[in-house]
Amino acid sequence: MATLKKSARKKSASGAQQDNLQAQAQRLSKNLSESAQQVWLAGVGAFGRAQAEGSKLFETLVKEGLSLEQTTRKLAGGRVDAVRDAVESTVGQARDRASDTWDRLEKVFEDRVQRALRRLEVPSREDLGALIDRVDALNAELRRLGGVPSARKPARKAAPAVKKAAATKKATAAKRATAGAKRTSAKRATKKNAD
């Protein structure tokens, strides 16, 4: 009998534990369903509030976005101006360098052409200027000495004489110019050899 009592006690203790566990499970289930119900109601409330205040919230966000955009544009505009100035400065410097290089190249080209012309014994601008001055002086001397017919003679009769005198002057001037140019070239050659 003692064993029966012990097993009956054990059965009643385990039944009490099962009843206790069932009660806890029911309470937990009830708490869980109440919490789920509260979460659902909170979501529905948030949705309703979002619908009611959604347009206000949207307008507020648009205003904040516009403000941020204006601020960003101001910052970007200042940087764009700085970048534009830097680019213009760099382009200006490159243009100046290119211009200087072009000027130097032009000078080198002119010097080489002048040297080539000197080697070919082509008279320089200064030589031609001196030759023109010399021809003018010779013409003045001829006029002074009376080599040119007077203007009183009729134009028809004077024309062949004037043409002949002009041709003679040109031939003489050309011979002298050639001789002067040869002398100038010889002087340069002598000077060049001396250097």
Side-chain angles (χ1 to χ4, degrees):
M1 242 210 6
T3 18
L4 269 176
K5 285 185 181 178
K6 280 185 183 179
S7 60
R9 279 188 206 158
K10 283 184 183 178
K11 284 185 184 178
S12 63
S14 54
Q17 276 183 344
Q18 278 184 345
D19 290 337
N20 191 15
L21 284 174
Q22 278 185 340
Q24 281 181 352
Q26 284 178 349
R27 275 185 269 142
L28 187 60
S29 175
K30 187 177 180 182
N31 285 340
L32 190 60
S33 69
E34 286 177 2
S35 293
Q37 181 73 23
Q38 287 177 351
V39 168
W40 171 255
L41 291 176
V44 171
F47 179 72
R49 191 170 184 186
Q51 280 184 330
E53 295 179 8
S55 62
K56 291 179 186 176
L57 178 64
F58 181 76
E59 289 173 5
T60 303
L61 290 173
V62 167
K63 287 179 184 177
E64 287 179 18
L66 182 63
S67 173
L68 284 171
E69 181 183 19
Q70 289 173 348
T71 305
T72 304
R73 284 186 184 214
K74 285 179 185 176
L75 289 173
R79 289 186 179 158
V80 165
D81 290 339
V83 168
R84 184 182 305 124
D85 291 343
V87 167
E88 286 176 358
S89 173
T90 304
V91 167
Q93 289 173 353
R95 191 177 298 136
D96 290 343
R97 287 180 187 161
S99 177
D100 290 344
T101 303
W102 188 255
D103 289 344
R104 280 189 244 133
L105 181 63
E106 187 177 349
K107 178 71 173 151
V108 166
F109 179 74
E110 287 175 359
D111 290 344
R112 288 188 179 176
V113 167
Q114 281 227 325
R115 276 189 255 142
L117 290 175
R118 278 188 220 136
R119 282 187 209 131
L120 295 173
E121 295 183 359
V122 175
S124 68
R125 184 177 292 151
E126 293 82 21
D127 294 338
L128 291 177
L131 183 62
I132 290 171
D133 291 341
R134 193 166 174 195
V135 168
D136 288 342
L138 289 173
N139 282 337
E141 185 68 24
L142 281 174
R143 281 189 202 115
R144 190 179 63 81
L145 293 175
V148 177
S150 65
R152 292 183 188 172
K153 292 185 181 178
R156 288 184 192 169
K157 292 180 181 177
V162 170
K163 286 181 184 177
K164 190 174 184 182
T168 305
K169 285 182 191 176
K170 285 182 184 178
T172 305
K175 286 179 185 177
R176 288 183 181 163
T178 306
K182 286 182 182 178
R183 277 184 260 147
T184 304
S185 297
K187 286 179 184 176
R188 280 192 192 142
T190 305
K191 186 177 179 182
K192 212 179 217 184
N193 290 337
D195 289 339

